[in-house]
Amino acid sequence: MAWARWGCCPWLVLFCALGAWGHPKPVDLSGEDVRNCSISPPYLPVTAVNTTARLTALRQQMHIKNLSAYIIPETDAHMSEYIGNRDKRRAWITGFTGSAGTAVVTMGKAGLWTDSRYWTQAERQMDCNWELHKEVDIISIVTWLLNEVPAGGSVGFDPFLFSIGSWESYNTALKNSNIKLASTTANLVDLAWGSEKPQFPSQHIYALQDAFTGSTWQEKVADIRSQMQKHYKGPTAVLLSALDETAWLFNLRGSDIPYNPFFYSYTLLTDSSIRLFVNKDCLDSKTLKYLNSNCTGSMCVQLEDYSQVRGTVQTYASGDVKIWIGTSYTTYGLYEVIPVEKLIKDTYSPVMVTKAVKNSKEQALLRASHVRDAVAVIRYLVWLEKNVPKGTVDEFSGAQWLDQLRREEAFSSGPSFETISASGLNAALAHYSPTKEQHRKLSSDEMYLLDSGGQYWDGTTDITRTIHWGTPSAFQKEAYTRVLIGNIDLSRLVFPASTSGRVMEVFARRALWDVGLNYGHGTGHGIGNFLCVHEWPVGFQSGNIPMAKGMFTSIEPGYYQDGEFGIRLEDVALVVEAKTKYPGSYLTFEVVSLVPYDRNLIDVSLLSPEHLQYLNRYYQTIREKVGPELQQRLLLEEFEWLQRHTEPLSARAPCTASLASLLAVSSLTILSWSV
């Protein structure tokens, strides 16, 4: 799936923005700013937001704090991938609503730094108070600050919106200057925003039913404490900052964050106590009892107000303690109150690493969610096949209908991200999502890329398929087939246990590289059990941990022809033991996504006998897993479609079936699940 934001792993924000992870970045190199700020009155698009009063209010707060500049990143206090409306400070102060970018305000100027995906959008949304800087690195921001901030001035920032890595980068860059970096815990944008700022969420926080959890929260707490006891540095506590860490640990879910079933929270787990920092009003009596919150023992959860976490951690850190943190998600707001000699630092917390490996029950739950998700996607593909030729479907209406189909599935809790429904040239834009006002009609003459997923109580899904209802060009078929080969080659790879994903990633690219093609994004990411659709630290990048049995990852090569079309084929796969001729500890992948590839786009002459064998085995698995589900629900049209689309492929008989048959097989090919 195309990452909607680049904040999921804070220390990789810049790395991601430059195209090393996620999905392709549309490069908008249109030359001139659509604004004309040199005339009086200035020319601005009607979409530009007047920020004069907002900047005046912010500068008043800066004056009170004696700050010469103030940095406003696009994130929340948990380094979340998706953020709630109350945390969209940069969007409020600038008017720019893109998901990536940093704003900096001085007493006389204001600048926004963002990457090429958002240049045109920023120009259309910002007024002439703002300079657009077409760069994203911290060095560029610091260079600007050195020119704009007077000697002896202070640059303010909210420490809860700075990752440890961001603070270190700014601090190092400003170290030899006569400018001070000032941590200010009272967020100045919040003060300027005032009563108009969205309120703190008050939605219900609930415990998952036992049927949808792999272990009880007590078992998870005991396991983390066991890891603390075995750690050679002797931590006395683990501090959890990422929202999915606390949600996973206690088997609790909420709805504070778009697309993710999370709630604002922190956890301080010690060897003898458990402190959960949360909005207590969101917990009913049933959940309080579930957490044993009415006692003070080692397995009783003591509730503290969300806002008290810094003070409590600071007080705890004053004792004879060692606090274990994951630096990727701990903000400077907590890091700065813990003496360095009392810190035990790893890139990821023990909860983040433990959560990445699913036990047998969790694996079964995720598999089951993918069967139901496949039903929804197949229903959508059948619907498209009938309606696209009529000219009645556009990108937006299609995405809405797919969301509705998923909501009809058992245990559904909405989409896992904003659906990417992209036709023709829009498919080359990785972060393109249609709106009610801006979309294209789906056409039988164009390729259609669908990247979508669902949240279910038993699992999170993410799948991408690319389709053509007409006659694709020879180049489109070759590119598609080579992307498919890359998907297959990585999916069927056998590799030694503990191999890093970045070592294997080349297998997904090799068929493209052979002819001088490539894609500018990463090849996969972890996925959770009713948690993050992008679950770190699993994947194929340098920052990911080695692959282990029980991990789930996406496998998603692609190819993008600027201004014409885009191709991506994404499956979710489970890491399992491989059966090898000789004894050894080897692993491979088991694909659990169950929607077929588009036969109309496959050039079978490029496939080896091994590729064909893999696809046909996958087709058979689709029939076995999804067919009975369709029959049970009396979805007879979809079942017939499934049967047609899972007919074996043959090198002697390239795709000559009817258009309907082609689409059918394309949908069901992916449904083949190798076991």
Side-chain angles (χ1 to χ4, degrees):
M1 163 210 160
W3 290 54
R5 291 172 39 79
W6 302 99
C8 189
C9 188
W11 62 272
L12 281 178
V13 170
L14 174 58
F15 186 64
C16 296
L18 296 177
W21 177 260
H23 287 287
K25 318 300 179 296
V27 179
D28 178 4
L29 298 177
S30 53
E32 298 185 1
D33 196 327
V34 297
R35 305 171 296 173
N36 188 343
C37 298
S38 63
I39 60 175
S40 183
Y43 168 76
L44 292 171
V46 295
T47 49
V49 177
N50 187 337
T51 62
T52 299
R54 300 175 185 184
L55 285 168
T56 298
L58 175 60
R59 286 171 174 143
Q60 289 173 349
Q61 297 297 329
M62 292 166 58
H63 177 73
I64 293 171
K65 296 290 186 181
N66 195 29
L67 297 174
S68 300
Y70 193 66
I71 302 172
I72 309 151
E74 177 75 359
T75 190
D76 66 7
H78 306 275
M79 303 288 105
S80 302
E81 177 184 1
Y82 300 102
I83 61 175
N85 289 332
R86 69 185 312 272
D87 291 311
K88 295 181 179 179
R89 300 175 178 89
R90 194 228 55 220
W92 180 79
I93 197 67
T94 64
F96 165 62
T97 59
S99 63
T102 300
V104 183
V105 177
T106 68
M107 298 307 288
K109 289 186 178 182
L112 172 77
W113 281 256
T114 191
D115 64 76
S116 59
R117 294 172 291 160
Y118 299 110
W119 292 345
T120 297
Q121 180 181 346
E123 290 166 353
R124 291 173 178 169
Q125 292 182 321
M126 297 192 306
D127 63 11
C128 289
N129 287 309
W130 291 89
E131 301 174 355
L132 175 60
H133 296 266
K134 298 182 177 182
E135 299 171 281
V136 293
D137 57 289
I138 288 175
I139 295 299
S140 170
I141 296 174
V142 170
T143 300
W144 187 83
L145 285 169
L146 291 172
N147 289 328
E148 300 297 332
V149 175
S154 295
V155 177
F157 68 98
D158 181 344
F160 281 96
L161 301 183
F162 266 47
S163 67
I164 297 170
S166 292
W167 174 80
E168 290 174 341
S169 296
Y170 278 105
N171 192 53
T172 299
L174 291 170
K175 192 171 185 178
N176 296 322
S177 70
N178 195 16
I179 295 174
K180 177 186 176 184
L181 194 59
S183 171
T184 307
T185 54
N187 189 282
L188 303 194
V189 174
D190 289 352
L191 296 175
W193 206 342
S195 61
E196 295 181 359
K197 181 184 175 182
Q199 296 298 307
F200 201 88
S202 57
Q203 289 92 336
H204 178 56
I205 297 171
Y206 58 94
L208 287 174
Q209 299 174 29
D210 290 344
F212 300 110
T213 64
S215 307
T216 66
W217 72 259
Q218 291 91 341
E219 290 170 335
K220 293 178 180 180
V221 165
D223 178 55
I224 300 303
R225 281 178 171 160
S226 176
Q227 293 184 46
M228 291 164 58
Q229 292 170 1
K230 296 174 182 177
H231 196 292
Y232 73 100
K233 290 187 178 180
T236 61
V238 172
L239 177 60
L240 306 178
S241 294
L243 298 182
D244 60 328
E245 292 178 314
T246 290
W248 175 86
L249 182 65
F250 296 110
N251 294 327
L252 294 174
R253 299 295 187 270
S255 55
D256 292 353
I257 306 298
Y259 305 113
N260 292 158
F262 303 149
F263 51 95
Y264 289 105
S265 57
Y266 296 94
T267 297
L268 182 63
L269 173 63
T270 78
D271 46 15
S272 60
S273 67
I274 309 168
R275 292 184 178 93
L276 171 59
F277 301 86
V278 70
N279 182 355
K280 301 177 191 177
D281 294 337
C282 297
L283 301 168
D284 61 18
S285 58
K286 181 179 178 181
T287 307
L288 293 174
K289 182 179 180 180
Y290 164 82
L291 292 170
N292 298 335
S293 64
N294 60 346
C295 57
T296 57
S298 64
M299 279 296 180
C300 302
V301 179
Q302 302 170 36
L303 299 178
E304 296 195 28
D305 190 77
Y306 174 80
S307 63
Q308 299 303 308
V309 62
R310 180 178 164 108
T312 298
V313 169
Q314 188 169 18
T315 299
Y316 180 79
S318 65
D320 183 17
V321 298
K322 292 277 189 179
I323 303 176
W324 192 0
I325 66 169
T327 56
S328 288
Y329 290 91
T330 304
T331 65
Y332 187 70
L334 296 179
Y335 179 79
E336 69 175 337
V337 300
I338 305 173
V340 64
E341 68 274 11
K342 297 184 179 183
L343 276 169
I344 297 175
K345 297 189 292 184
D346 281 323
T347 303
Y348 304 106
S349 78
V351 165
M352 194 66 75
V353 175
T354 302
K355 176 168 58 66
V357 178
K358 278 60 175 173
N359 63 28
S360 58
K361 183 179 178 182
E362 290 168 328
Q363 293 172 27
L365 288 168
L366 257 170
R367 284 193 183 100
S369 70
H370 279 82
V371 172
R372 297 193 311 279
D373 195 70
V375 171
V377 177
I378 289 171
R379 291 179 66 191
Y380 179 62
L381 292 175
V382 172
W383 180 80
L384 287 178
E385 186 176 318
K386 292 189 296 185
N387 289 282
V388 168
K390 300 176 185 177
T392 58
V393 185
D394 61 54
E395 297 165 326
F396 183 71
S397 65
Q400 285 191 311
W401 182 238
L402 177 56
D403 286 348
Q404 177 58 36
L405 291 172
R406 277 198 168 98
R407 289 189 184 97
E408 294 176 7
E409 292 300 316
F411 315 133
S412 173
S413 188
S416 57
F417 57 96
E418 185 176 20
T419 296
I420 296 173
S421 171
S423 179
L425 55 86
N426 286 340
L429 309 178
H431 289 263
Y432 173 83
S433 287
T435 65
K436 187 176 181 179
E437 297 75 25
Q438 188 174 14
H439 53 257
R440 285 170 59 91
K441 277 282 182 71
L442 270 59
S443 168
S444 297
D445 298 323
E446 292 185 327
M447 297 181 83
Y448 174 59
L449 188 153
L450 175 71
D451 188 344
S452 66
Q455 290 284 13
Y456 304 92
W457 295 347
D458 50 353
T460 303
T461 68
D462 183 5
I463 186 169
T464 307
R465 292 295 178 262
T466 306
I467 306 158
H468 198 303
W469 292 280
T471 305
S473 69
F475 177 60
Q476 287 174 329
K477 291 186 69 170
E478 179 182 4
Y480 181 96
T481 306
R482 290 185 180 278
V483 170
L484 176 60
I485 290 171
N487 182 298
I488 295 172
D489 285 347
L490 185 51
S491 297
R492 61 192 292 268
L493 183 68
V494 175
F495 54 92
S498 298
T499 299
S500 171
R502 65 183 176 85
V503 176
M504 299 182 269
E505 200 243 13
V506 64
F507 286 89
R509 299 179 185 269
R510 184 172 57 182
L512 290 165
W513 286 0
D514 283 345
V515 293
L517 302 178
N518 201 3
Y519 53 95
H521 58 76
T523 298
H525 56 79
I527 194 162
N529 281 79
F530 193 29
L531 288 167
C532 285
V533 72
H534 302 126
E535 184 174 82
W536 283 81
V538 177
F540 296 94
Q541 304 308 305
S542 58
N544 296 133
I545 60 178
M547 291 290 178
K549 178 184 175 183
M551 290 180 173
F552 282 84
T553 181
S554 70
I555 294 175
E556 47 184 306
Y559 175 73
Y560 309 88
Q561 185 72 18
D562 288 347
E564 294 185 30
F565 63 87
I567 300 164
R568 186 160 61 253
L569 297 175
E570 175 185 18
D571 295 309
V572 172
L574 168 64
V575 181
V576 297
E577 290 183 1
K579 296 178 181 179
T580 55
K581 181 177 180 180
Y582 300 105
S585 183
Y586 285 82
L587 303 172
T588 189
F589 297 106
E590 173 191 316
V591 173
V592 300
S593 299
L594 296 170
V595 178
Y597 310 109
D598 188 356
R599 268 189 143 146
N600 193 32
L601 283 164
I602 297 175
D603 181 351
V604 294
S605 69
L606 296 175
L607 300 178
S608 70
E610 291 77 16
H611 294 137
L612 286 168
Q613 182 184 41
Y614 174 92
L615 282 173
N616 291 332
R617 190 168 62 242
Y618 183 47
Y619 293 167
Q620 182 59 34
T621 301
I622 291 175
R623 288 187 172 192
E624 295 171 357
K625 301 290 184 180
V626 183
E629 188 79 11
L630 295 172
Q631 288 179 305
Q632 180 181 344
R633 300 197 208 173
L634 299 181
L635 295 171
L636 302 183
E637 183 180 12
E638 286 78 4
F639 177 75
E640 181 184 355
W641 184 92
L642 174 66
Q643 294 298 105
R644 294 197 315 267
H645 286 261
T646 49
E647 286 296 324
L649 283 167
S650 170
R652 298 185 304 275
C655 305
T656 58
S658 67
L659 177 59
S661 174
L662 295 175
L663 271 182
V665 178
S666 61
S667 295
L668 288 170
T669 303
I670 261 208
L671 287 176
S672 321
W673 168 349
S674 63
V675 288

